[in-house]
Amino acid sequence: MDNRTLRGRVAIVGIGETTYYRHGQSPDAEFKLALKAILAACQDAGMDPRDIDGFASYSNDRNDPSRLAAALGLRQLRSTTMQWGGGGGGNCAAIANGAAAVASGLSDCVVAFRALAQGQFGRFGQAPTAPTISGDMAWQAPYGVLSPGQKFAMKARRFMHEHGVKQEALRAIAMASYTHAQRNPRAVMHGKPLTEAQYDDSRWIVEPFHLFDCCMENDGAAAVIMVPAERAKDFPNRPVYVLGAATGSDERVAAVPHNTPNYASSSFATVAPNLYRMAGVTPRDVGVVQSYENFTGGVLMALAEHGLFHPDEANDFLRLENLLAPDGKLPLNTSGGNLAECYMHGFELILEAVRQVRGTSTAQAPRNDVALVIGGPMVTPVSNLMLGSEAVL
């Protein structure tokens, strides 16, 4: 194995989150939300916040690390990293960047986090208005392709056409998230179950995406604390180790829009093999998956590109009973995911993966020693993460 690896070198020892709100409804400013989540993670780890010496985030999170350091009373600030681009595709990359800082000695204790307060800064999922357009939107906006749903629906539809995937496969992904959310009192959609009839009767957003195929928009914050592996047992919780992480995208993903070589893709064709190689595991070792749902079509493609089933087997594999904990073949989004727990830009998925490895999830998977997190299917760059227990090392 290549010695340039994160496998077993960094442990997640604390997780924390705020209450999750519908977009625009947080009573707190975004900076306060970030602080609350970080302090909750410190409490979970049983540590003094002043021992933090690094921060990592993504998607241009607005909470300046020097200001966070001052508010938390840090003794020193040694590392600050921000993952470029990709929107929610950077959630796992924030962990990777923070873990790399710890593994290299740039920091001893890094917090990775994400915070959103849309009542303060405007609705995250709403397209901004501008007098001029540049980049890929210059090729799309003049023709009415304005939203992520419109762009990604065409990729998903192509994949479904090429492999004969039925709408029921997308429905199963959505219903798995909603079913798990009913066991999770933190979930925004807790107490609001989804039936097949409700899914089928819901309005189209853009085919093949119904309303319930699309992620929520929420306010809140979430954070994790990372330390060197040799310090992992100094903390009260069962250590969760970083096995591997990867980020990037396939060849020419950012070519002229809708003209990439591998069009019907979630952007993980090259990224997934890189993750498995670093983590030292195979798809057969994965016991539970937390996959970012911008739209269920992206989950469909990402699961296939991670080798969890062949694309032509999607209709047989993506059945609700296969995706539910504890008895399914591969429990998926066991806290409710972006669809039904919270859209914390996908960072809440990492906290749930930690809970799974710890054995404290509200929808616990029986095979929980290896947990996969998938970030931001169909954007670029994307990222992914493999977490594991001490038994896997």
Side-chain angles (χ1 to χ4, degrees):
M1 181 182 295
D2 192 332
N3 61 7
R4 294 181 303 153
T5 180
L6 293 174
R7 178 180 165 85
R9 299 180 63 189
V10 176
I12 294 174
V13 296
I15 58 175
E17 61 198 340
T18 66
T19 299
Y20 294 137
Y21 305 92
R22 290 185 178 275
H23 66 83
Q25 294 186 6
S26 169
D28 294 322
E30 194 170 83
F31 186 70
K32 186 175 181 180
L33 290 170
L35 290 172
K36 280 186 169 182
I38 293 168
L39 289 171
C42 290
Q43 183 176 21
D44 181 62
M47 62 169 283
D48 189 331
R50 292 174 295 181
D51 291 336
I52 296 166
D53 64 0
F55 296 100
S57 193
Y58 61 104
S59 195
N60 299 320
D61 189 282
R62 288 174 284 253
N63 297 284
D64 179 79
S66 293
R67 188 176 174 219
L68 289 171
L72 293 166
L74 269 59
R75 299 180 179 92
Q76 61 175 330
L77 182 60
R78 299 175 59 201
S79 174
T80 60
T81 58
M82 175 66 68
Q83 178 70 5
W84 276 344
N91 62 340
C92 297
I95 299 294
N97 293 336
V102 171
S104 66
L106 289 173
S107 283
D108 290 325
C109 180
V110 171
V111 169
F113 72 97
R114 185 73 173 104
L116 286 171
Q118 296 173 82
Q120 182 181 6
F121 291 106
R123 188 170 173 181
F124 188 82
Q126 190 169 17
T129 58
T132 60
I133 304 172
S134 61
D136 64 349
M137 288 305 295
W139 299 87
Q140 298 174 95
Y143 304 99
V145 181
L146 303 174
S147 72
Q150 291 172 304
K151 292 187 285 187
F152 296 149
M154 290 189 280
K155 289 178 176 286
R157 179 60 87 194
R158 170 73 73 82
F159 185 92
M160 293 171 73
H161 171 75
E162 290 179 349
H163 300 286
V165 182
K166 298 178 181 178
Q167 190 72 35
E168 287 81 358
L170 302 189
R171 183 178 67 193
I173 293 169
M175 290 189 65
S177 290
Y178 270 81
T179 300
H180 287 136
Q182 306 318 305
R183 307 182 207 172
N184 175 11
R186 301 181 307 276
V188 173
M189 290 300 174
H190 179 71
K192 299 178 180 179
L194 176 65
T195 67
E196 289 187 359
Q198 285 174 313
Y199 175 93
D200 292 342
D201 293 341
S202 65
R203 69 181 186 273
W204 291 109
I205 301 302
V206 53
E207 294 185 44
F209 302 145
H210 282 277
L211 172 66
F212 294 107
D213 291 302
C214 306
C215 69
M216 298 188 289
E217 292 184 66
N218 300 106
D219 294 349
V224 308
I225 296 173
M226 292 175 280
V227 300
E230 54 266 27
R231 293 184 55 205
K233 294 185 180 179
D234 296 340
F235 300 87
N237 297 301
R238 182 187 186 192
V240 177
Y241 296 91
V242 175
L243 300 181
T247 184
S249 54
D250 202 0
E251 175 192 13
R252 289 176 54 81
V253 168
V256 176
H258 305 291
N259 194 32
T260 58
N262 186 15
Y263 181 68
S265 168
S266 64
S267 301
F268 282 101
T270 58
V271 179
N274 290 336
L275 173 67
Y276 286 122
R277 184 162 46 251
M278 179 183 285
V281 300
T282 71
R284 293 186 298 275
D285 297 314
V286 175
V288 60
V289 178
Q290 313 301 328
S291 178
Y292 191 107
E293 313 124 315
N294 36 20
F295 307 96
T296 55
V299 181
L300 160 70
M301 290 187 280
L303 294 176
E305 288 188 332
H306 279 82
L308 299 168
F309 55 82
H310 188 277
D312 293 342
E313 300 170 341
N315 292 320
D316 291 330
F317 192 95
L318 294 175
R319 298 176 183 271
L320 181 59
E321 60 269 22
N322 288 339
L323 305 180
L324 296 181
D327 299 322
K329 291 180 180 179
L330 189 67
L332 174 69
N333 292 353
T334 48
S335 63
N338 290 347
L339 296 184
E341 182 187 28
C342 172
Y343 179 72
M344 196 36 54
H345 222 174
F347 205 74
E348 81 289 348
L349 299 169
I350 296 166
L351 274 66
E352 176 62 10
V354 171
R355 285 189 289 261
Q356 281 290 343
V357 177
R358 285 181 176 180
T360 60
S361 172
T362 54
Q364 189 62 47
R367 293 179 58 226
N368 64 318
D369 281 335
V370 177
L372 169 63
V373 186
I374 299 172
M378 299 187 289
V379 304
T380 182
V382 292
S383 62
N384 52 17
L385 175 69
M386 202 77 75
L387 300 179
S389 69
E390 185 178 17
V392 181
L393 298 179

